[in-house]
Amino acid sequence: MDLAGLDPEAVLEALCAPIDAGTSAETATCLRHRKRKVSLLVALADLGGVWALDAVTGALTRFADFSCDSLMSALVQEAVERDRITLDGPRENYGLFALAMGKMGAHELNYSSDIDLIVLFDETRFGADKTHAVKSEFIRITRKLSQLMNAATGDGYIFRVDLRLRPDPLINPVCLSAGGAMRYYESFARTWERAAMIKARPCAGDLDAADRFLRDIEPFVWRTLLDYAAVHDASEMRELINDQKGTGGLSELYGHDLKLGQGGIRQIELFVQAFQMLAGGRDSSLRVAGTVPALHALCSAGWIQEDARNRLVECYGILRTTEHRLQMIQDSQTHSLPRQHDDMPRIAALCGHDSADGFLIELSSVLNDVHRLTSDDETGKATDESGVDDLSYLTASDHELISGWQSLPALRSDRAVDIFKRLEPMILSRMGLARNPHEALIHFDRFLHALPAGVQLFSLFEARPKLVELLTDICTTAPRLAEHLGRTSHVFDDVLYSNFFQPIEDTADLQSNLESELADARDYEATLRTTRRWLNAQKFRNGVHHLKHMITHEEVSRNYSRLAETVLARLWPRVVDEFATRHGPPPGRGATVVALGSLGARCLSAMSDLDLIVIYDPLDEAESSGAKCLPVRSYYARL
């Protein structure tokens, strides 16, 4: 293949042009020929410095997408021609689709990567009487797809396909229904499966059906509350990596695994995904698949420092580039440096170094920096630094109260019990610092009694001991708030955001803030749930500001009033719209909401009711015009 003088992007475009071959076998043969050309193109563009890392991985991923889609389309067409399945619409909308996972999903394929796929089908496109037959045919197609992609002939192979990321691969077939997959993720999926779905992306088949599935699964992947229990799991995975050796002396680098070893690529990926699982549900800017874009997003959102971001991006680029050089030798699927000293100069030269020693010195620095920057983070286990371990203040009645915690709903799971056992000495020590430790302990007991579950919150406390100190202050000085926190413990999440201790915004900014939160609400009930959560968090923030003497009593009242005005202003049009779906739009010129009493004077307290009057002008209309019309007076009274 003569590539001299050609534009590499144009060559790639030609290699991803539609294939005219008729059968799936002919399509596979054509793809093998093209894959060899793509490998040569990418290697030259990479080694020659024509393409940066993201262009290299992007080109490999694009051809992988093209290959999967071409073969899947050919196999479905064959099934249609043989009357094995019947399509009601265009071939592109046949319900079968593949999700690219892992590095393929993030457009980050290696030079010699496997491709991780999950293959599903939309069972709602077929009648109940056809679903079983369709499923059997799609299973056959998926197996054939994998076989054709994996098969190594004299022309090479296309891609090695791994289907084991699907739900429960030891039990489920290689293709299952989207509904069955959804039920699995909602009921049985583990933390690593949730992390894997961060990078999921439609790559072949019915892309509309794939998009619908990923939209439906968003609540499983992106949780509204900060998920420190999931982060705890990710931290444990990183600890397994940390237990390995490989970042000491240069001699330890021989045979070191750049992907799974200490300071390697996986350590960066787990670091990034931990933050994404933690906060991506509340911050949509973190919902990016690529590792480098995710690092930039985390920095912009304030979760990591700029210098840490810059170094991790640099280290990631060096590690991935080195990994590519290793795999260019005989297309070997390896991530490990050579074990023999004589083989290292070759890799060093491919990476642009004059000597093996210089190469290893740079690599050692990279591995050590990755290990340092991803281990000393905000998501790992933290320890109590109070230095207080005197529990002599505890009386017999205190011990009796503490013994009763074992039967509470918050401690019904073994995992919650394990975490709480590690927390309990710190909590009791903190309570001992209160002016009245026994009273604080009683209010903490009420807080625990109100908790419906404990794993999430206990994991949060373990990671951020400062929150235990805050809870102690609340138990000591604001017992009603402590009891309320047991029912709305998710508001502790907001303490971790950088703006929590900044002055509460004015009404216009609060309304803009709530409006952006409501943008993702899919229906009326979701709107109400989102508003309740937002308001509870803001009221908690206002209370903590007062507790910490950051604002005066007058400012507290003014802030509560702003929050009430914000909720009324943002909910009123949505309530009107919801009411109008059944009873029609407001008759006449509509209505306005007038505040009286404490809200009218902008001096609300935490426990204030809202005194409101709704004034309407019906003009000359006697009733509404909806499907269930109402007399004007009844309409506005019910509204």
Side-chain angles (χ1 to χ4, degrees):
M1 183 180 184
D2 186 5
L3 294 174
L6 298 180
D7 177 20
E9 283 79 10
V11 175
L12 180 64
E13 186 75 26
L15 292 172
C16 292
I19 296 173
D20 294 331
T23 68
S24 58
E26 290 169 339
T27 300
T29 299
C30 182
L31 287 171
R32 291 188 192 98
H33 292 161
R34 292 190 184 189
K35 171 64 182 301
R36 296 176 67 180
K37 296 176 182 180
V38 167
S39 297
L40 176 60
L41 170 69
V42 170
L44 292 175
D46 186 2
L47 290 170
V50 178
W51 280 348
L53 176 62
D54 60 340
V56 170
T57 60
L60 292 166
T61 304
R62 180 179 176 186
F63 187 74
D65 287 359
F66 169 73
S67 300
C68 291
D69 191 57
S70 298
L71 266 182
M72 184 174 283
S73 296
L75 288 164
V76 169
Q77 184 60 33
E78 288 177 351
V80 171
E81 291 171 354
R82 296 170 184 171
D83 293 326
R84 300 176 70 95
I85 55 174
T86 302
L87 299 182
D88 298 329
R91 188 174 66 178
E92 292 77 12
N93 299 322
Y94 46 75
L96 180 68
F97 60 89
L99 299 177
M101 308 295 290
K103 285 185 167 59
M104 183 179 176
H107 295 278
E108 295 175 346
L109 275 185
N110 297 332
Y111 191 77
S112 185
S113 276
D114 285 351
I115 58 174
D116 296 303
L117 302 177
I118 293 178
V119 183
L120 306 171
F121 72 96
D122 180 3
E123 70 276 24
T124 63
R125 289 187 50 80
F126 308 93
D129 57 327
K130 296 181 180 179
T131 300
H132 180 73
V134 167
K135 179 178 180 180
S136 298
E137 182 59 21
F138 283 160
I139 290 172
R140 188 194 67 80
I141 288 174
T142 303
R143 286 174 177 161
K144 187 66 175 177
L145 172 71
S146 177
Q147 177 187 339
L148 290 171
M149 293 282 279
N150 284 307
T153 70
D155 298 318
Y157 66 99
I158 307 173
F159 283 96
R160 291 178 289 262
V161 175
D162 191 336
L163 299 170
R164 290 175 297 176
L165 286 184
R166 68 186 184 276
D168 213 342
L170 296 178
I171 297 176
N172 285 318
V174 292
C175 175
L176 62 157
S177 68
M182 184 68 66
R183 288 188 291 274
Y184 172 84
Y185 286 121
E186 290 175 344
S187 304
F188 305 109
R190 291 152 291 181
T191 298
W192 71 264
E193 290 175 297
R194 181 183 161 211
M197 292 304 296
I198 291 175
K199 296 185 177 183
R201 175 180 61 81
C203 68
D206 190 337
L207 301 185
D208 290 339
D211 285 332
R212 286 194 299 273
F213 175 79
L214 290 180
R215 284 196 300 271
D216 290 342
I217 207 172
E218 277 185 1
F220 162 72
V221 183
W222 306 111
R223 297 177 183 175
T224 304
L225 305 182
L226 296 186
D227 193 353
Y228 263 90
V231 174
H232 175 79
D233 291 341
S235 297
E236 287 186 341
M237 287 188 277
R238 286 208 309 278
E239 286 174 10
L240 293 176
I241 293 175
N242 292 342
D243 290 339
Q244 302 183 42
K245 295 182 179 180
T247 58
L250 297 185
S251 62
E252 293 184 6
L253 293 181
Y254 286 87
H256 185 73
D257 191 325
L258 298 181
K259 178 181 179 181
L260 301 177
Q262 190 179 108
I265 296 166
R266 182 56 54 83
Q267 199 160 345
I268 300 176
E269 292 171 342
L270 287 173
F271 173 82
V272 168
Q273 288 176 348
F275 278 113
Q276 289 180 295
M277 288 192 296
L278 172 67
R282 298 277 292 276
D283 186 351
S284 59
S285 71
L286 303 182
R287 302 176 190 180
V288 291
T291 303
V292 170
L295 284 168
H296 287 293
L298 289 170
C299 181
S300 298
W303 288 100
I304 60 175
Q305 298 297 317
E306 185 175 348
D307 55 348
R309 183 271 315 271
N310 292 342
R311 181 55 176 160
L312 285 173
V313 168
E314 180 184 19
C315 291
Y316 182 77
I318 293 171
L319 290 170
R320 290 300 309 275
T321 299
T322 305
E323 181 184 42
H324 279 223
R325 302 295 189 267
L326 291 167
Q327 294 181 351
M328 284 179 185
I329 300 174
Q330 298 179 345
D331 191 23
S332 55
Q333 191 183 11
T334 183
H335 311 281
S336 298
L337 293 171
R339 295 186 178 277
Q340 303 301 320
H341 284 65
D342 293 344
D343 295 331
M344 194 65 75
R346 184 183 188 185
I347 299 299
L350 281 173
C351 294
H353 286 266
D354 295 331
S355 69
D357 286 346
F359 168 64
L360 291 177
I361 288 171
E362 179 189 63
L363 208 52
S364 177
S365 174
V366 165
L367 296 170
N368 278 295
D369 283 352
V370 168
H371 178 60
R372 173 178 56 84
L373 291 170
T374 60
S375 296
D376 184 23
D377 63 86
E378 296 296 318
T379 65
K381 294 178 183 177
T383 56
D384 177 27
E385 298 176 355
S386 65
V388 178
D389 56 6
D390 182 10
L391 304 182
S392 59
Y393 73 91
L394 295 173
T395 64
S397 60
D398 291 335
H399 282 291
E400 184 178 352
L401 180 144
I402 292 169
S403 65
W405 293 348
Q406 299 173 9
S407 61
L408 296 180
L411 290 162
R412 62 172 170 254
S413 73
D414 292 340
R415 188 173 185 186
V417 171
D418 289 342
I419 300 173
F420 190 75
K421 280 182 179 178
R422 296 194 293 269
L423 284 172
E424 192 173 31
M426 177 178 67
I427 291 172
L428 296 177
S429 295
R430 292 290 188 186
M431 294 295 167
L433 295 174
R435 281 186 302 234
N436 188 332
H438 310 292
E439 182 180 342
L441 199 59
I442 290 171
H443 294 312
F444 179 77
D445 175 75
R446 292 174 181 169
F447 165 79
L448 278 184
H449 272 78
L451 274 182
V455 171
Q456 290 288 344
L457 189 64
F458 298 158
S459 298
L460 174 60
F461 284 161
E462 186 175 37
R464 296 294 184 92
K466 285 291 184 184
L467 293 181
V468 177
E469 183 178 348
L470 175 61
L471 178 60
T472 304
D473 290 343
I474 292 171
C475 288
T476 305
T477 60
R480 280 189 178 180
L481 179 57
E483 193 169 347
H484 176 69
L485 283 178
R487 296 187 295 272
T488 58
S489 58
H490 59 80
V491 297
F492 276 109
D493 296 350
D494 293 83
V495 180
L496 307 183
Y497 286 90
S498 57
N499 67 341
F500 183 85
F501 288 105
Q502 294 176 3
I504 290 179
E505 298 83 352
D506 59 27
T507 305
D509 287 340
L510 285 171
Q511 289 194 25
S512 176
N513 184 311
L514 178 55
E515 188 67 32
S516 65
E517 293 276 336
L518 292 175
D520 293 332
R522 297 186 177 185
D523 54 35
Y524 185 63
E525 289 301 321
T527 295
L528 298 182
R529 287 195 301 271
T530 300
T531 304
R532 291 188 194 101
R533 182 196 56 75
W534 182 87
L535 181 59
N536 281 329
Q538 295 296 335
K539 290 170 71 174
F540 176 62
R541 180 182 172 199
N542 193 38
V544 170
H545 284 201
H546 192 204
L547 184 67
K548 295 292 187 181
H549 305 293
M550 296 169 57
I551 53 178
T552 64
H553 178 72
E554 290 75 16
E555 289 173 315
V556 173
S557 295
R558 189 161 57 249
N559 287 340
Y560 279 130
S561 302
R562 287 172 178 166
L563 293 173
E565 289 178 26
T566 295
V567 168
L568 287 169
R570 296 330 319 150
L571 277 189
W572 172 253
R574 288 173 166 83
V575 172
V576 171
D577 290 344
E578 175 68 15
F579 195 71
T581 59
R582 173 171 290 190
H583 302 295
R589 293 195 295 176
T592 188
V593 181
V594 179
L596 302 174
S598 297
L599 179 57
R602 292 191 171 91
C603 59
L604 282 182
S605 70
M607 305 301 292
S608 290
D609 291 338
L610 303 186
D611 297 310
L612 306 173
I613 294 179
V614 176
I615 300 175
Y616 63 92
D617 182 359
L619 293 177
D620 57 352
E621 297 183 31
E623 62 181 17
S624 65
S625 58
K628 292 190 174 183
C629 58
L630 292 172
V632 165
R633 179 175 294 183
S634 297
Y635 183 98
Y636 283 106
R638 291 178 62 177
L639 175 59

